[in-house]
Amino acid sequence: MSPSGILLVEDDEAIASGLVRVLDSQGYAVRRLARGGPALGAADDTTSLVILDLGLPDADGIDICRRLRRARPELAILILTARDQELDVVAGLDAGADDYLVKPFRLAELLARVRAHLRRAAASAPAGADEPLRAGDVTVDRASRRAWRGGDELDLRPKEFDLLALLVAEAGRAVTRERIMREVWDTDWLGSTKTLDTHILALRRRLGPDAITTLRGVGYRLEVPCDSA
Ligand code: CA
């Protein structure tokens, strides 16, 4: 069985105690830290998900996130931020977070995200190697979770990889936001797809601004270059 432990790093007592109570009532093994410094040592093999507040008294949550990601590439990291500015969110995702929630958030939404991340963590040992996917000069190997543009390997965060794999599998065709949320984030929840927007931006930074077309009100399409092999 995969471990499904949750580590909550949150200094706000009211938020932390509420979260611990509700996660515990759902049967999760949850531990809570009020400081960022001990988080690295505390995220052990039984930890599948870290819920990480960015505003911590002793450390920069972004820095903690980066160090967690480096130490544990397979860990799911969900950041909580009261700073709802795009830059903080981008910094968090760039530091390796898989997902984020802006405070104040609804408990039901947090629980849905937690379920999705833990389901994916449990399923992340894939059964059998798939053939690499190709679209133009982009190659995605789902078996090794590596991707290349031309001869250059792309440095992708977990959700960016999953999103790129889906878009490449459907290259030249429209992929709806609903389908992306379902297959990449494992949720039907479409209240806000800001996380998706941010990941699309990240892929455009790596593949070029015209590689992914926004289909307003529908979703996205990966463009296959005319000179593709
Ligand atoms: Ca805080």
Side-chain angles (χ1 to χ4, degrees):
M1 286 300 291
S2 294
S4 60
I6 299 173
L7 181 63
L8 171 66
V9 187
E10 167 64 80
D11 62 305
D12 185 297
E13 286 299 330
I15 293 175
S17 60
L19 283 181
V20 167
R21 197 164 50 238
V22 75
L23 290 169
D24 187 62
S25 76
Q26 301 287 311
Y28 297 118
V30 55
R31 288 174 299 153
R32 182 254 173 153
L33 297 171
R35 289 173 175 273
L40 277 160
D44 59 18
D45 288 347
T46 66
T47 310
S48 292
L49 169 67
V50 175
I51 301 173
L52 176 66
D53 178 32
L54 287 188
L56 294 164
D58 65 320
D60 179 0
I62 299 281
D63 184 50
I64 299 294
C65 180
R66 189 175 295 114
R67 291 160 66 190
L68 278 171
R69 172 57 67 226
R70 204 179 298 140
R72 294 280 311 279
E74 76 289 4
L75 195 65
I77 304 174
L78 169 66
I79 54 178
L80 300 178
T81 174
R83 326 164 190 169
D84 57 352
Q85 292 171 330
E86 185 84 355
L87 274 182
D88 296 309
V89 168
V90 170
L93 295 173
D94 276 343
D98 297 289
D99 198 3
Y100 70 95
L101 276 176
V102 174
K103 296 175 186 176
F105 51 83
R106 293 181 307 128
L107 224 39
E109 188 192 338
L110 178 98
L111 286 175
R113 305 281 186 97
V114 166
R115 279 195 299 275
H117 286 295
L118 291 178
R119 253 198 320 268
R120 294 193 68 84
S124 66
D130 294 310
E131 285 293 299
L133 302 167
R134 287 194 180 84
D137 61 352
V138 179
T139 303
V140 174
D141 182 13
R142 288 169 294 182
S144 63
R145 293 187 64 83
R146 297 172 76 189
W148 296 264
R149 185 185 185 206
D152 298 328
E153 183 160 3
L154 298 169
D155 181 20
L156 299 173
R157 295 189 298 269
K159 295 295 182 195
E160 291 171 1
F161 180 91
D162 293 337
L163 177 57
L164 179 64
L166 175 58
L167 291 173
V168 168
E170 298 292 345
R173 284 186 288 212
V175 184
T176 64
R177 295 173 79 88
E178 285 85 348
R179 181 173 169 198
I180 294 172
M181 294 312 288
R182 200 170 57 240
E183 294 194 17
V184 176
W185 277 275
D186 214 1
T187 178
D188 287 319
W189 186 76
L190 275 170
S192 162
T193 50
K194 227 176 154 192
T195 303
L196 169 55
D197 297 340
T198 311
H199 281 70
I200 290 283
L201 280 175
L203 288 182
R204 283 191 178 126
R205 277 204 302 272
R206 290 170 171 88
L207 302 177
D210 299 323
I212 300 168
T213 301
T214 300
L215 305 167
R216 203 166 288 281
V218 178
Y220 298 94
R221 182 179 61 229
L222 184 81
E223 302 299 345
V224 183
C226 312
D227 61 346
S228 65

Coordinates of all heavy atoms in Angstrom, one line a residue, residues 10 52-55 62 78-85 88-90 92 99-105:
E10 N 1.6 24.9 9.0 CA 0.8 26.1 9.1 C 0.9 26.7 10.5 O 0.7 26.0 11.5 CB -0.7 25.7 8.8 CG -1.8 26.7 9.2 CD -1.7 28.0 8.4 OE1 -2.2 28.0 7.2 OE2 -1.1 29.0 8.9
L52 N 1.3 23.3 2.6 CA 2.3 24.2 3.1 C 1.8 25.6 3.0 O 1.6 26.2 1.9 CB 3.6 24.0 2.2 CG 4.8 24.9 2.4 CD1 5.4 24.7 3.8 CD2 5.8 24.7 1.3
D53 N 1.8 26.3 4.2 CA 1.5 27.7 4.2 C 2.7 28.5 3.7 O 3.8 28.1 4.1 CB 1.1 28.1 5.7 CG 0.9 29.6 5.8 OD1 0.3 30.2 4.9 OD2 1.2 30.1 6.9
L54 N 2.5 29.5 3.0 CA 3.7 30.3 2.5 C 4.2 31.3 3.5 O 5.4 31.6 3.6 CB 3.4 31.0 1.2 CG 3.3 30.1 -0.1 CD1 3.2 31.0 -1.3 CD2 4.5 29.2 -0.2
G55 N 3.3 31.8 4.3 CA 3.7 32.8 5.3 C 4.0 32.2 6.6 O 3.1 32.1 7.5
I62 N 8.2 29.5 0.2 CA 8.7 29.2 -1.2 C 10.0 28.5 -1.1 O 10.2 27.5 -1.8 CB 8.9 30.6 -2.0 CG1 7.6 31.3 -2.1 CG2 9.6 30.3 -3.3 CD1 6.7 30.9 -3.2
L78 N 0.9 21.0 -1.8 CA -0.2 22.0 -2.0 C 0.1 23.2 -1.2 O 0.2 23.1 0.0 CB -1.5 21.3 -1.6 CG -2.8 22.2 -1.5 CD1 -3.2 22.7 -2.8 CD2 -3.9 21.4 -0.8
I79 N 0.2 24.3 -1.8 CA 0.6 25.5 -1.0 C -0.7 26.3 -0.7 O -1.7 26.4 -1.5 CB 1.6 26.4 -1.7 CG1 1.2 26.8 -3.1 CG2 3.0 25.8 -1.7 CD1 2.2 27.8 -3.8
L80 N -0.7 26.9 0.5 CA -1.8 27.7 1.0 C -1.2 29.1 1.1 O -0.1 29.3 1.6 CB -2.2 27.3 2.4 CG -2.8 25.9 2.6 CD1 -3.1 25.7 4.0 CD2 -4.0 25.7 1.7
T81 N -1.9 30.1 0.5 CA -1.3 31.4 0.5 C -2.4 32.5 0.7 O -3.5 32.4 0.2 CB -0.6 31.8 -0.8 OG1 -0.2 33.1 -0.7 CG2 -1.4 31.5 -2.0
A82 N -2.1 33.4 1.6 CA -3.0 34.5 1.8 C -2.7 35.6 0.8 O -3.4 36.5 0.6 CB -2.9 35.1 3.2
R83 N -1.5 35.5 0.2 CA -1.1 36.4 -0.8 C -1.7 36.0 -2.1 O -1.1 35.1 -2.8 CB 0.4 36.5 -0.9 CG 1.2 36.3 0.4 CD 2.6 36.0 0.0 NE 3.3 35.5 1.2 CZ 4.6 35.0 1.1 NH1 5.1 34.8 -0.1 NH2 5.2 34.6 2.1
D84 N -2.8 36.6 -2.5 CA -3.4 36.0 -3.7 C -2.9 36.7 -5.0 O -3.6 36.7 -6.0 CB -5.0 36.2 -3.6 CG -5.3 37.7 -3.4 OD1 -4.4 38.5 -3.2 OD2 -6.5 38.0 -3.4
Q85 N -1.7 37.2 -4.9 CA -1.2 37.8 -6.1 C -0.5 36.8 -7.0 O 0.1 35.8 -6.6 CB -0.1 38.9 -5.8 CG -0.8 40.1 -5.1 CD 0.3 41.0 -4.6 OE1 1.4 40.6 -4.2 NE2 -0.1 42.3 -4.5
D88 N 3.1 35.5 -6.5 CA 3.4 34.5 -5.4 C 3.0 33.1 -5.8 O 3.7 32.2 -5.5 CB 2.6 34.9 -4.1 CG 3.1 36.2 -3.6 OD1 4.3 36.4 -3.4 OD2 2.2 37.1 -3.4
V89 N 1.9 33.0 -6.5 CA 1.5 31.7 -7.0 C 2.5 31.2 -8.0 O 2.9 30.0 -7.9 CB 0.1 31.9 -7.6 CG1 -0.3 30.6 -8.4 CG2 -1.0 32.1 -6.5
V90 N 2.9 32.0 -8.9 CA 3.9 31.6 -9.9 C 5.2 31.1 -9.2 O 5.8 30.1 -9.5 CB 4.1 32.7 -10.9 CG1 5.3 32.3 -11.8 CG2 2.9 32.9 -11.8
G92 N 5.5 30.0 -6.2 CA 5.2 28.7 -5.6 C 5.3 27.6 -6.5 O 5.9 26.5 -6.2
D99 N 0.1 22.5 -6.7 CA -1.2 23.0 -6.6 C -1.2 24.1 -5.6 O -0.3 24.2 -4.8 CB -2.2 21.9 -6.2 CG -3.6 22.2 -6.5 OD1 -3.9 23.3 -7.1 OD2 -4.5 21.4 -6.2
Y100 N -2.2 25.0 -5.6 CA -2.3 26.0 -4.5 C -3.8 26.3 -4.2 O -4.6 26.1 -5.0 CB -1.6 27.3 -4.9 CG -2.2 28.0 -6.0 CD1 -3.1 29.1 -5.7 CD2 -2.0 27.7 -7.4 CE1 -3.7 29.8 -6.8 CE2 -2.7 28.4 -8.4 CZ -3.5 29.4 -8.1 OH -4.1 30.1 -9.1
L101 N -4.0 26.8 -3.0 CA -5.3 27.4 -2.6 C -5.0 28.7 -2.0 O -4.1 28.9 -1.2 CB -6.0 26.5 -1.6 CG -6.8 25.3 -2.1 CD1 -7.3 24.5 -0.9 CD2 -7.9 25.7 -3.0
V102 N -5.9 29.7 -2.3 CA -5.8 31.0 -1.8 C -6.7 31.1 -0.6 O -7.9 30.7 -0.6 CB -6.1 32.1 -2.8 CG1 -6.1 33.5 -2.2 CG2 -5.1 32.0 -4.0
K103 N -6.2 31.6 0.6 CA -7.0 31.8 1.7 C -7.9 33.0 1.6 O -7.4 34.0 1.0 CB -6.1 32.0 3.0 CG -5.3 30.8 3.4 CD -4.4 31.2 4.5 CE -3.4 30.1 4.9 NZ -2.5 30.5 6.0
P104 N -9.1 33.1 2.0 CA -9.8 31.9 2.7 C -10.3 30.9 1.7 O -10.8 31.4 0.6 CB -10.9 32.6 3.4 CG -11.2 33.8 2.6 CD -9.9 34.3 2.0
F105 N -10.2 29.7 2.0 CA -10.7 28.6 1.0 C -11.8 27.9 1.7 O -12.0 27.9 2.9 CB -9.5 27.7 0.6 CG -8.8 27.2 1.8 CD1 -9.3 26.1 2.5 CD2 -7.6 27.8 2.3 CE1 -8.6 25.6 3.6 CE2 -6.9 27.3 3.4 CZ -7.4 26.2 4.0

